Amino acid sequence: MRHQPFGSRGHEVSVIGQGTWYIDRGDRKSAVAALRRGIDLGMTHIDTAEMYGDAEPLVAEAIAGRRDEIFLVSKVLPGNASRRGAIAACERSLARLKTDRLDCYLLHWRGAYPLAETVAAFEQLVSVGKIRGWGVSDFDVDDLDEMLAVAGQGRIACNQVLYHLRERAIEHAVLPWCEQHGVAVVAYSPFGHHDFPQPGSKAGKVLQTIAEAHGASPRQVALAFLTRAPAVFAIPKASTPEHAADNAASGKLALGRDEIAALDDAFPRGPRPRSLPML
Ligand SMILES: NC(=O)c1ccc[n+]([C@@H]2O[C@H](COP(=O)([O-])OP(=O)(O)OC[C@H]3O[C@@H](n4cnc5c(N)ncnc54)[C@H](OP(=O)(O)O)[C@@H]3O)[C@@H](O)[C@H]2O)c1
């Protein structure tokens, strides 16, 4: 598994991590086994959120006894992101995760509370060691500019955004902004949530051909393409150990320049949308 610095704070984090949205909806044993297999194979970056139902307790079970190996991320809902609310929400997440700290704590999306309030809460959590850093999710460049003005350079660890083969809007402005300011980009829904390209489609065939050339799966190729820039991480969600193992293997897949060009062609970036797409 490849590791790279997560934003400008210097932490080395696995490029491919593990998402947990809806992981509590299926077979719990299989979900815990999937996360554990993923960790064994190097996907130590685990993404969860207070919004994800019972995902946090399930993550607690999966990481029990190996917390120090994990880069653990959770998120506060915008409705809880006040000066006091964010601190209380973090403490609830820590209790559900059975840990004393998060490696990164994110504002799940921008809400009504002033950014300065949320930042003050995040910085307090950093100062008492309950979080090691913080970031944002679904922030477009205007939000990022505002957050930078509030928090100062070097404080925003990451921006978690929708990014998959058929949704490349972040490449227009968000990714360059983050690269310029040392902010990690975390690709959520890297398989398009439930919409991975069909193998029979024209673009799906391009993916398949490249996968076959590497003895890899199309999903491994998709993850390698999405993480081709050194600022980008991806957090696919898998509910079975087999899926987790498949995803982890993408961590050692390197695509050639021609293959990247072929994927770029098959899944074009398209024009810049008026607002940042999100799920
Ligand atoms: N910040 C935000 O607002 C936000 C929004 C959305 C998502 N996220 C985060 O990003 C994570 C990933 O996004 P996502 O859950 O929306 O979707 P995703 O990772 O794009 O896709 C998940 C789907 O892919 C399937 N899958 C995974 N690995 C597979 C494999 N190797 N072979 C075949 N199928 C495979 C999963 O099936 P199985 O479950 O059956 O394995 C599931 O149906 C979330 O879990 C969450 O942590 C954040």
Side-chain angles (χ1 to χ4, degrees):
M1 176 58 62
R2 240 175 346 118
H3 286 69
Q4 62 196 19
F6 194 79
S8 56
R9 306 290 294 278
H11 253 103
E12 292 273 322
V13 174
S14 69
V15 171
I16 310 300
Q18 306 192 73
T20 62
W21 191 24
Y22 289 115
I23 206 164
D24 57 325
R25 303 289 173 91
D27 181 70
R28 187 183 174 94
K29 254 189 166 171
S30 167
V32 170
L35 288 170
R36 286 188 180 153
R37 182 85 187 277
I39 295 166
D40 289 342
L41 295 171
M43 294 193 295
T44 47
H45 171 185
I46 297 188
D47 179 78
T48 189
E50 64 170 337
M51 191 187 96
Y52 299 166
D54 272 334
E56 286 181 324
L58 195 150
V59 169
E61 192 178 333
I63 66 172
R66 46 198 316 192
R67 173 68 186 89
D68 291 348
E69 293 171 57
I70 310 297
F71 185 81
L72 185 59
V73 181
S74 192
K75 314 185 194 76
V76 59
L77 282 167
N80 288 336
S82 64
R83 178 80 175 76
R84 280 195 183 173
I87 289 169
C90 181
E91 281 165 357
R92 289 194 299 271
S93 282
L94 291 174
R96 281 192 294 268
L97 287 160
K98 295 195 166 67
T99 185
D100 59 352
R101 68 200 185 279
L102 295 172
D103 296 290
C104 200
Y105 195 37
L106 310 187
L107 174 59
H108 208 143
W109 63 90
R110 191 166 179 181
Y113 287 110
L115 294 179
E117 270 206 46
T118 311
V119 169
F122 283 172
E123 291 295 350
Q124 186 180 329
L125 288 164
V126 170
S127 69
V128 297
K130 289 187 177 170
I131 65 175
R132 295 176 74 186
W134 58 265
V136 294
S137 176
D138 285 331
F139 269 43
D140 207 339
V141 282
D142 50 343
D143 301 309
L144 288 165
D145 280 335
E146 219 179 307
M147 186 53 117
L148 183 66
V150 168
Q153 190 72 36
R155 302 310 300 162
I156 312 167
C158 70
N159 187 19
Q160 192 178 114
V161 286
L162 180 64
Y163 188 36
H164 58 83
L165 288 172
R166 289 195 288 216
E167 185 43 85
R168 296 175 53 194
I170 64 154
E171 292 179 19
H172 290 284
V174 168
L175 176 56
W177 191 102
C178 290
E179 287 173 331
Q180 189 192 337
H181 293 92
V183 172
V185 170
V186 180
Y188 75 66
S189 304
F191 298 146
H193 195 59
H194 290 306
D195 192 22
F196 194 72
Q198 292 297 318
S201 65
K202 202 170 157 218
K205 282 183 190 152
V206 174
L207 201 54
Q208 186 71 38
T209 304
I210 295 172
E212 279 166 14
H214 286 272
S217 71
R219 284 176 195 254
Q220 289 168 14
V221 173
L223 292 173
F225 178 79
L226 297 173
T227 57
R228 67 200 182 284
V232 184
F233 298 76
I235 46 166
K237 170 257 189 181
S239 320
T240 66
E242 294 72 26
H243 285 173
D246 185 35
N247 300 342
S250 72
K252 52 176 191 266
L253 178 63
L255 299 174
R257 201 176 293 181
D258 291 355
E259 294 169 325
I260 289 176
L263 290 165
D264 187 40
D265 215 41
F267 299 95
R269 179 191 292 191
R272 183 177 173 180
R274 291 166 77 94
S275 60
L276 192 65
M278 54 185 78
L279 277 196

